[in-house]
Amino acid sequence: DAMVIQNPRYQVTQFGKPVTLSCSQTLNHNVMYWYQQKSSQAPKLLFHYYDKDFNNEADTPDNFQSRRPNTSFCFLDIRSPGLGDAAMYLCATSRGRNEQYFGPGTRLTVT
Amino acid sequence: AQTVTQSQPEMSVQEAETVTLSCTYDTSESDYYLFWYKQPPSRQMILVIRQEAYKQQNATENRFSVNFQKAAKSFSLKISDSQLGDAAMYFCAYRTGNQFYFGTGTSLTVIP
């Protein structure tokens, strides 16, 4: 089945230690998104790629970076995680203006 | 700025009954899309229903239907014949271009 896959599902990192979360999709969608979702809150868009074009939200901290080496894969890099970065990170894809398809998320714990 | 407001943080419904979740949004755009997403506890977010702003007819998907009032910028979700599996966080979302905006969510409890 076509889907959005996120690895790992759970990630523990130390304060200040760089961490990378990955997302892959078999839907061949041209748009990929990264969201941060804290407990009982709405997902907050960090950035998205429209094809190869990177679009950063104005309030996304510089600590967060992203790479999209090809259509199928997208990575979220957190250069120096702080305690406040502990959250669920959701990857989503869409084709054009259609609805988003979400991955299962990666729960990040910062110790 | 586009905003999405869900004024009901929590709702409950008796199994087999009907419940309506409210959502309002603010936009100056004329071309946009509205969605309801469901996020069960510790599970993946999935699409429940979508509505194109240019369509006057309210979208329906089996037991799920919307009441889209464009002039009032209102987009409520009605769940009929509620089932235990409907228990989840429901998010209203608005899309224009490639920008998505989510509401803060409504936690729905289904009482057996």
Side-chain angles (χ1 to χ4, degrees), chain A residues 77-109:
Chain A
D77 301 309
I78 308 177
R79 293 192 296 186
S80 181
L83 297 178
D85 297 328
M88 178 75 84
Y89 289 87
L90 302 174
C91 176
T93 72
S94 71
R95 175 178 294 284
R97 293 187 169 198
N98 292 323
E99 62 271 17
Q100 292 180 320
Y101 290 80
F102 283 84
T106 294
R107 183 166 295 283
L108 178 68
T109 300

PDB file of all heavy atoms in Angstrom, chain A residues 77-109:
ATOM      1  N   ASP A  77      16.431  17.775  10.444  1.00  0.00           N
ATOM      2  CA  ASP A  77      17.631  17.826  11.272  1.00  0.00           C
ATOM      3  C   ASP A  77      17.411  18.844  12.381  1.00  0.00           C
ATOM      4  O   ASP A  77      17.081  19.994  12.117  1.00  0.00           O
ATOM      5  CB  ASP A  77      18.855  18.250  10.437  1.00  0.00           C
ATOM      6  CG  ASP A  77      19.127  17.307   9.285  1.00  0.00           C
ATOM      7  OD1 ASP A  77      19.203  16.086   9.535  1.00  0.00           O
ATOM      8  OD2 ASP A  77      19.259  17.782   8.138  1.00  0.00           O
ATOM      9  N   ILE A  78      17.642  18.397  13.599  1.00  0.00           N
ATOM     10  CA  ILE A  78      17.624  19.318  14.739  1.00  0.00           C
ATOM     11  C   ILE A  78      19.059  19.430  15.219  1.00  0.00           C
ATOM     12  O   ILE A  78      19.636  18.452  15.725  1.00  0.00           O
ATOM     13  CB  ILE A  78      16.684  18.829  15.856  1.00  0.00           C
ATOM     14  CG1 ILE A  78      15.302  18.513  15.285  1.00  0.00           C
ATOM     15  CG2 ILE A  78      16.568  19.891  16.936  1.00  0.00           C
ATOM     16  CD1 ILE A  78      14.322  17.944  16.296  1.00  0.00           C
ATOM     17  N   ARG A  79      19.641  20.584  15.036  1.00  0.00           N
ATOM     18  CA  ARG A  79      21.091  20.719  15.212  1.00  0.00           C
ATOM     19  C   ARG A  79      21.510  20.651  16.675  1.00  0.00           C
ATOM     20  O   ARG A  79      22.539  20.060  17.000  1.00  0.00           O
ATOM     21  CB  ARG A  79      21.554  22.035  14.593  1.00  0.00           C
ATOM     22  CG  ARG A  79      21.398  22.053  13.076  1.00  0.00           C
ATOM     23  CD  ARG A  79      22.117  23.204  12.441  1.00  0.00           C
ATOM     24  NE  ARG A  79      21.553  24.483  12.853  1.00  0.00           N
ATOM     25  CZ  ARG A  79      21.922  25.642  12.347  1.00  0.00           C
ATOM     26  NH1 ARG A  79      22.868  25.698  11.427  1.00  0.00           N
ATOM     27  NH2 ARG A  79      21.373  26.772  12.758  1.00  0.00           N
ATOM     28  N   SER A  80      20.752  21.260  17.551  1.00  0.00           N
ATOM     29  CA  SER A  80      21.091  21.269  18.968  1.00  0.00           C
ATOM     30  C   SER A  80      19.792  21.205  19.764  1.00  0.00           C
ATOM     31  O   SER A  80      19.262  22.236  20.196  1.00  0.00           O
ATOM     32  CB  SER A  80      21.888  22.536  19.314  1.00  0.00           C
ATOM     33  OG  SER A  80      22.241  22.544  20.685  1.00  0.00           O
ATOM     34  N   PRO A  81      19.270  19.989  19.923  1.00  0.00           N
ATOM     35  CA  PRO A  81      17.953  19.867  20.561  1.00  0.00           C
ATOM     36  C   PRO A  81      17.952  20.398  21.990  1.00  0.00           C
ATOM     37  O   PRO A  81      18.878  20.132  22.782  1.00  0.00           O
ATOM     38  CB  PRO A  81      17.690  18.358  20.544  1.00  0.00           C
ATOM     39  CG  PRO A  81      18.623  17.807  19.524  1.00  0.00           C
ATOM     40  CD  PRO A  81      19.812  18.706  19.516  1.00  0.00           C
ATOM     41  N   GLY A  82      16.903  21.145  22.298  1.00  0.00           N
ATOM     42  CA  GLY A  82      16.678  21.582  23.663  1.00  0.00           C
ATOM     43  C   GLY A  82      15.500  20.818  24.245  1.00  0.00           C
ATOM     44  O   GLY A  82      14.786  20.109  23.547  1.00  0.00           O
ATOM     45  N   LEU A  83      15.313  20.991  25.545  1.00  0.00           N
ATOM     46  CA  LEU A  83      14.210  20.282  26.209  1.00  0.00           C
ATOM     47  C   LEU A  83      12.864  20.666  25.593  1.00  0.00           C
ATOM     48  O   LEU A  83      11.936  19.853  25.533  1.00  0.00           O
ATOM     49  CB  LEU A  83      14.220  20.571  27.706  1.00  0.00           C
ATOM     50  CG  LEU A  83      15.465  20.099  28.466  1.00  0.00           C
ATOM     51  CD1 LEU A  83      15.365  20.488  29.942  1.00  0.00           C
ATOM     52  CD2 LEU A  83      15.679  18.597  28.325  1.00  0.00           C
ATOM     53  N   GLY A  84      12.764  21.889  25.127  1.00  0.00           N
ATOM     54  CA  GLY A  84      11.525  22.368  24.520  1.00  0.00           C
ATOM     55  C   GLY A  84      11.237  21.781  23.157  1.00  0.00           C
ATOM     56  O   GLY A  84      10.146  21.990  22.615  1.00  0.00           O
ATOM     57  N   ASP A  85      12.182  21.061  22.601  1.00  0.00           N
ATOM     58  CA  ASP A  85      11.986  20.447  21.294  1.00  0.00           C
ATOM     59  C   ASP A  85      11.384  19.044  21.404  1.00  0.00           C
ATOM     60  O   ASP A  85      11.084  18.416  20.374  1.00  0.00           O
ATOM     61  CB  ASP A  85      13.304  20.379  20.527  1.00  0.00           C
ATOM     62  CG  ASP A  85      13.868  21.758  20.224  1.00  0.00           C
ATOM     63  OD1 ASP A  85      13.054  22.694  20.029  1.00  0.00           O
ATOM     64  OD2 ASP A  85      15.104  21.915  20.193  1.00  0.00           O
ATOM     65  N   ALA A  86      11.225  18.569  22.611  1.00  0.00           N
ATOM     66  CA  ALA A  86      10.575  17.268  22.790  1.00  0.00           C
ATOM     67  C   ALA A  86       9.134  17.367  22.311  1.00  0.00           C
ATOM     68  O   ALA A  86       8.371  18.238  22.743  1.00  0.00           O
ATOM     69  CB  ALA A  86      10.619  16.859  24.251  1.00  0.00           C
ATOM     70  N   ALA A  87       8.779  16.504  21.388  1.00  0.00           N
ATOM     71  CA  ALA A  87       7.455  16.590  20.755  1.00  0.00           C
ATOM     72  C   ALA A  87       7.280  15.405  19.829  1.00  0.00           C
ATOM     73  O   ALA A  87       8.204  14.611  19.620  1.00  0.00           O
ATOM     74  CB  ALA A  87       7.325  17.888  19.953  1.00  0.00           C
ATOM     75  N   MET A  88       6.091  15.331  19.235  1.00  0.00           N
ATOM     76  CA  MET A  88       5.862  14.421  18.121  1.00  0.00           C
ATOM     77  C   MET A  88       6.133  15.197  16.843  1.00  0.00           C
ATOM     78  O   MET A  88       5.675  16.335  16.703  1.00  0.00           O
ATOM     79  CB  MET A  88       4.420  13.917  18.136  1.00  0.00           C
ATOM     80  CG  MET A  88       4.074  13.001  16.987  1.00  0.00           C
ATOM     81  SD  MET A  88       4.776  11.358  17.172  1.00  0.00           S
ATOM     82  CE  MET A  88       3.535  10.616  18.216  1.00  0.00           C
ATOM     83  N   TYR A  89       6.878  14.586  15.953  1.00  0.00           N
ATOM     84  CA  TYR A  89       7.164  15.222  14.665  1.00  0.00           C
ATOM     85  C   TYR A  89       6.451  14.435  13.573  1.00  0.00           C
ATOM     86  O   TYR A  89       6.657  13.231  13.402  1.00  0.00           O
ATOM     87  CB  TYR A  89       8.669  15.315  14.426  1.00  0.00           C
ATOM     88  CG  TYR A  89       9.294  16.333  15.349  1.00  0.00           C
ATOM     89  CD1 TYR A  89       9.717  15.971  16.627  1.00  0.00           C
ATOM     90  CD2 TYR A  89       9.401  17.668  14.975  1.00  0.00           C
ATOM     91  CE1 TYR A  89      10.233  16.919  17.498  1.00  0.00           C
ATOM     92  CE2 TYR A  89       9.921  18.620  15.838  1.00  0.00           C
ATOM     93  CZ  TYR A  89      10.327  18.239  17.097  1.00  0.00           C
ATOM     94  OH  TYR A  89      10.826  19.187  17.961  1.00  0.00           O
ATOM     95  N   LEU A  90       5.606  15.148  12.866  1.00  0.00           N
ATOM     96  CA  LEU A  90       4.776  14.535  11.842  1.00  0.00           C
ATOM     97  C   LEU A  90       5.250  14.936  10.461  1.00  0.00           C
ATOM     98  O   LEU A  90       5.505  16.118  10.198  1.00  0.00           O
ATOM     99  CB  LEU A  90       3.315  14.968  12.000  1.00  0.00           C
ATOM    100  CG  LEU A  90       2.638  14.660  13.329  1.00  0.00           C
ATOM    101  CD1 LEU A  90       1.254  15.285  13.363  1.00  0.00           C
ATOM    102  CD2 LEU A  90       2.549  13.163  13.543  1.00  0.00           C
ATOM    103  N   CYS A  91       5.341  13.958   9.604  1.00  0.00           N
ATOM    104  CA  CYS A  91       5.623  14.197   8.194  1.00  0.00           C
ATOM    105  C   CYS A  91       4.310  14.002   7.431  1.00  0.00           C
ATOM    106  O   CYS A  91       3.525  13.104   7.763  1.00  0.00           O
ATOM    107  CB  CYS A  91       6.679  13.221   7.696  1.00  0.00           C
ATOM    108  SG  CYS A  91       7.043  13.320   5.927  1.00  0.00           S
ATOM    109  N   ALA A  92       4.087  14.836   6.443  1.00  0.00           N
ATOM    110  CA  ALA A  92       2.878  14.708   5.628  1.00  0.00           C
ATOM    111  C   ALA A  92       3.232  14.987   4.179  1.00  0.00           C
ATOM    112  O   ALA A  92       4.226  15.657   3.876  1.00  0.00           O
ATOM    113  CB  ALA A  92       1.789  15.658   6.108  1.00  0.00           C
ATOM    114  N   THR A  93       2.420  14.457   3.289  1.00  0.00           N
ATOM    115  CA  THR A  93       2.610  14.690   1.858  1.00  0.00           C
ATOM    116  C   THR A  93       1.283  15.076   1.228  1.00  0.00           C
ATOM    117  O   THR A  93       0.218  14.782   1.769  1.00  0.00           O
ATOM    118  CB  THR A  93       3.155  13.438   1.145  1.00  0.00           C
ATOM    119  OG1 THR A  93       2.115  12.449   1.075  1.00  0.00           O
ATOM    120  CG2 THR A  93       4.348  12.847   1.863  1.00  0.00           C
ATOM    121  N   SER A  94       1.384  15.732   0.097  1.00  0.00           N
ATOM    122  CA  SER A  94       0.178  16.025  -0.669  1.00  0.00           C
ATOM    123  C   SER A  94       0.562  16.176  -2.132  1.00  0.00           C
ATOM    124  O   SER A  94       1.716  16.419  -2.475  1.00  0.00           O
ATOM    125  CB  SER A  94      -0.526  17.283  -0.168  1.00  0.00           C
ATOM    126  OG  SER A  94       0.214  18.451  -0.487  1.00  0.00           O
ATOM    127  N   ARG A  95      -0.445  16.020  -2.953  1.00  0.00           N
ATOM    128  CA  ARG A  95      -0.268  16.304  -4.376  1.00  0.00           C
ATOM    129  C   ARG A  95      -1.078  17.552  -4.683  1.00  0.00           C
ATOM    130  O   ARG A  95      -2.292  17.552  -4.552  1.00  0.00           O
ATOM    131  CB  ARG A  95      -0.757  15.129  -5.228  1.00  0.00           C
ATOM    132  CG  ARG A  95      -0.700  15.432  -6.728  1.00  0.00           C
ATOM    133  CD  ARG A  95      -1.143  14.240  -7.555  1.00  0.00           C
ATOM    134  NE  ARG A  95      -0.235  13.114  -7.427  1.00  0.00           N
ATOM    135  CZ  ARG A  95       0.955  13.039  -8.022  1.00  0.00           C
ATOM    136  NH1 ARG A  95       1.382  14.029  -8.787  1.00  0.00           N
ATOM    137  NH2 ARG A  95       1.702  11.963  -7.867  1.00  0.00           N
ATOM    138  N   GLY A  96      -0.378  18.587  -5.081  1.00  0.00           N
ATOM    139  CA  GLY A  96      -1.061  19.827  -5.391  1.00  0.00           C
ATOM    140  C   GLY A  96      -1.896  20.319  -4.233  1.00  0.00           C
ATOM    141  O   GLY A  96      -1.429  20.378  -3.098  1.00  0.00           O
ATOM    142  N   ARG A  97      -3.158  20.611  -4.538  1.00  0.00           N
ATOM    143  CA  ARG A  97      -4.028  21.192  -3.525  1.00  0.00           C
ATOM    144  C   ARG A  97      -4.881  20.146  -2.816  1.00  0.00           C
ATOM    145  O   ARG A  97      -5.840  20.488  -2.143  1.00  0.00           O
ATOM    146  CB  ARG A  97      -4.931  22.234  -4.165  1.00  0.00           C
ATOM    147  CG  ARG A  97      -4.175  23.442  -4.658  1.00  0.00           C
ATOM    148  CD  ARG A  97      -5.111  24.508  -5.130  1.00  0.00           C
ATOM    149  NE  ARG A  97      -4.409  25.754  -5.363  1.00  0.00           N
ATOM    150  CZ  ARG A  97      -4.998  26.929  -5.448  1.00  0.00           C
ATOM    151  NH1 ARG A  97      -6.298  27.024  -5.314  1.00  0.00           N
ATOM    152  NH2 ARG A  97      -4.300  28.008  -5.672  1.00  0.00           N
ATOM    153  N   ASN A  98      -4.546  18.920  -2.996  1.00  0.00           N
ATOM    154  CA  ASN A  98      -5.333  17.880  -2.350  1.00  0.00           C
ATOM    155  C   ASN A  98      -4.972  17.748  -0.874  1.00  0.00           C
ATOM    156  O   ASN A  98      -4.090  18.414  -0.362  1.00  0.00           O
ATOM    157  CB  ASN A  98      -5.119  16.547  -3.074  1.00  0.00           C
ATOM    158  CG  ASN A  98      -5.723  16.577  -4.463  1.00  0.00           C
ATOM    159  OD1 ASN A  98      -6.777  17.162  -4.677  1.00  0.00           O
ATOM    160  ND2 ASN A  98      -5.047  15.963  -5.407  1.00  0.00           N
ATOM    161  N   GLU A  99      -5.673  16.864  -0.221  1.00  0.00           N
ATOM    162  CA  GLU A  99      -5.474  16.687   1.212  1.00  0.00           C
ATOM    163  C   GLU A  99      -4.100  16.121   1.513  1.00  0.00           C
ATOM    164  O   GLU A  99      -3.439  15.537   0.667  1.00  0.00           O
ATOM    165  CB  GLU A  99      -6.556  15.763   1.791  1.00  0.00           C
ATOM    166  CG  GLU A  99      -6.544  14.364   1.224  1.00  0.00           C
ATOM    167  CD  GLU A  99      -7.414  14.252  -0.018  1.00  0.00           C
ATOM    168  OE1 GLU A  99      -7.760  15.294  -0.609  1.00  0.00           O
ATOM    169  OE2 GLU A  99      -7.727  13.113  -0.405  1.00  0.00           O
ATOM    170  N   GLN A 100      -3.688  16.276   2.757  1.00  0.00           N
ATOM    171  CA  GLN A 100      -2.417  15.741   3.215  1.00  0.00           C
ATOM    172  C   GLN A 100      -2.583  14.314   3.721  1.00  0.00           C
ATOM    173  O   GLN A 100      -3.613  13.961   4.297  1.00  0.00           O
ATOM    174  CB  GLN A 100      -1.867  16.600   4.360  1.00  0.00           C
ATOM    175  CG  GLN A 100      -1.438  17.983   3.926  1.00  0.00           C
ATOM    176  CD  GLN A 100      -0.910  18.786   5.094  1.00  0.00           C
ATOM    177  OE1 GLN A 100      -1.447  18.728   6.179  1.00  0.00           O
ATOM    178  NE2 GLN A 100       0.132  19.544   4.859  1.00  0.00           N
ATOM    179  N   TYR A 101      -1.544  13.553   3.495  1.00  0.00           N
ATOM    180  CA  TYR A 101      -1.458  12.208   4.065  1.00  0.00           C
ATOM    181  C   TYR A 101      -0.337  12.236   5.097  1.00  0.00           C
ATOM    182  O   TYR A 101       0.781  12.654   4.791  1.00  0.00           O
ATOM    183  CB  TYR A 101      -1.159  11.177   2.976  1.00  0.00           C
ATOM    184  CG  TYR A 101      -2.311  10.960   2.037  1.00  0.00           C
ATOM    185  CD1 TYR A 101      -2.567  11.857   1.002  1.00  0.00           C
ATOM    186  CD2 TYR A 101      -3.150   9.863   2.179  1.00  0.00           C
ATOM    187  CE1 TYR A 101      -3.622  11.672   0.137  1.00  0.00           C
ATOM    188  CE2 TYR A 101      -4.213   9.668   1.308  1.00  0.00           C
ATOM    189  CZ  TYR A 101      -4.449  10.566   0.301  1.00  0.00           C
ATOM    190  OH  TYR A 101      -5.498  10.379  -0.551  1.00  0.00           O
ATOM    191  N   PHE A 102      -0.657  11.774   6.282  1.00  0.00           N
ATOM    192  CA  PHE A 102       0.295  11.866   7.374  1.00  0.00           C
ATOM    193  C   PHE A 102       0.979  10.527   7.638  1.00  0.00           C
ATOM    194  O   PHE A 102       0.378   9.463   7.497  1.00  0.00           O
ATOM    195  CB  PHE A 102      -0.412  12.301   8.667  1.00  0.00           C
ATOM    196  CG  PHE A 102      -0.732  13.762   8.702  1.00  0.00           C
ATOM    197  CD1 PHE A 102      -1.883  14.246   8.102  1.00  0.00           C
ATOM    198  CD2 PHE A 102       0.129  14.663   9.324  1.00  0.00           C
ATOM    199  CE1 PHE A 102      -2.173  15.600   8.121  1.00  0.00           C
ATOM    200  CE2 PHE A 102      -0.153  16.011   9.360  1.00  0.00           C
ATOM    201  CZ  PHE A 102      -1.304  16.488   8.762  1.00  0.00           C
ATOM    202  N   GLY A 103       2.223  10.629   8.074  1.00  0.00           N
ATOM    203  CA  GLY A 103       2.908   9.468   8.604  1.00  0.00           C
ATOM    204  C   GLY A 103       2.522   9.258  10.061  1.00  0.00           C
ATOM    205  O   GLY A 103       1.800  10.065  10.644  1.00  0.00           O
ATOM    206  N   PRO A 104       3.015   8.186  10.672  1.00  0.00           N
ATOM    207  CA  PRO A 104       2.645   7.866  12.055  1.00  0.00           C
ATOM    208  C   PRO A 104       3.337   8.750  13.081  1.00  0.00           C
ATOM    209  O   PRO A 104       2.965   8.749  14.249  1.00  0.00           O
ATOM    210  CB  PRO A 104       3.081   6.410  12.219  1.00  0.00           C
ATOM    211  CG  PRO A 104       4.184   6.255  11.228  1.00  0.00           C
ATOM    212  CD  PRO A 104       3.846   7.131  10.079  1.00  0.00           C
ATOM    213  N   GLY A 105       4.347   9.492  12.641  1.00  0.00           N
ATOM    214  CA  GLY A 105       5.041  10.393  13.554  1.00  0.00           C
ATOM    215  C   GLY A 105       6.256   9.771  14.205  1.00  0.00           C
ATOM    216  O   GLY A 105       6.382   8.534  14.307  1.00  0.00           O
ATOM    217  N   THR A 106       7.165  10.632  14.632  1.00  0.00           N
ATOM    218  CA  THR A 106       8.315  10.234  15.456  1.00  0.00           C
ATOM    219  C   THR A 106       8.223  11.012  16.754  1.00  0.00           C
ATOM    220  O   THR A 106       8.165  12.239  16.748  1.00  0.00           O
ATOM    221  CB  THR A 106       9.646  10.555  14.765  1.00  0.00           C
ATOM    222  OG1 THR A 106       9.789   9.764  13.588  1.00  0.00           O
ATOM    223  CG2 THR A 106      10.812  10.280  15.705  1.00  0.00           C
ATOM    224  N   ARG A 107       8.207  10.262  17.853  1.00  0.00           N
ATOM    225  CA  ARG A 107       8.167  10.927  19.155  1.00  0.00           C
ATOM    226  C   ARG A 107       9.594  11.147  19.631  1.00  0.00           C
ATOM    227  O   ARG A 107      10.345  10.186  19.823  1.00  0.00           O
ATOM    228  CB  ARG A 107       7.384  10.111  20.170  1.00  0.00           C
ATOM    229  CG  ARG A 107       7.280  10.823  21.518  1.00  0.00           C
ATOM    230  CD  ARG A 107       6.246  10.208  22.433  1.00  0.00           C
ATOM    231  NE  ARG A 107       4.890  10.334  21.919  1.00  0.00           N
ATOM    232  CZ  ARG A 107       4.165  11.458  21.966  1.00  0.00           C
ATOM    233  NH1 ARG A 107       4.675  12.555  22.456  1.00  0.00           N
ATOM    234  NH2 ARG A 107       2.933  11.452  21.501  1.00  0.00           N
ATOM    235  N   LEU A 108       9.947  12.394  19.788  1.00  0.00           N
ATOM    236  CA  LEU A 108      11.302  12.758  20.205  1.00  0.00           C
ATOM    237  C   LEU A 108      11.327  13.091  21.687  1.00  0.00           C
ATOM    238  O   LEU A 108      10.545  13.926  22.154  1.00  0.00           O
ATOM    239  CB  LEU A 108      11.806  13.955  19.394  1.00  0.00           C
ATOM    240  CG  LEU A 108      13.198  14.466  19.759  1.00  0.00           C
ATOM    241  CD1 LEU A 108      14.268  13.441  19.373  1.00  0.00           C
ATOM    242  CD2 LEU A 108      13.487  15.804  19.103  1.00  0.00           C
ATOM    243  N   THR A 109      12.233  12.438  22.380  1.00  0.00           N
ATOM    244  CA  THR A 109      12.487  12.731  23.788  1.00  0.00           C
ATOM    245  C   THR A 109      13.885  13.317  23.904  1.00  0.00           C
ATOM    246  O   THR A 109      14.839  12.785  23.304  1.00  0.00           O
ATOM    247  CB  THR A 109      12.392  11.456  24.640  1.00  0.00           C
ATOM    248  OG1 THR A 109      11.072  10.909  24.509  1.00  0.00           O
ATOM    249  CG2 THR A 109      12.664  11.746  26.097  1.00  0.00           C
TER     250      THR A 109
END
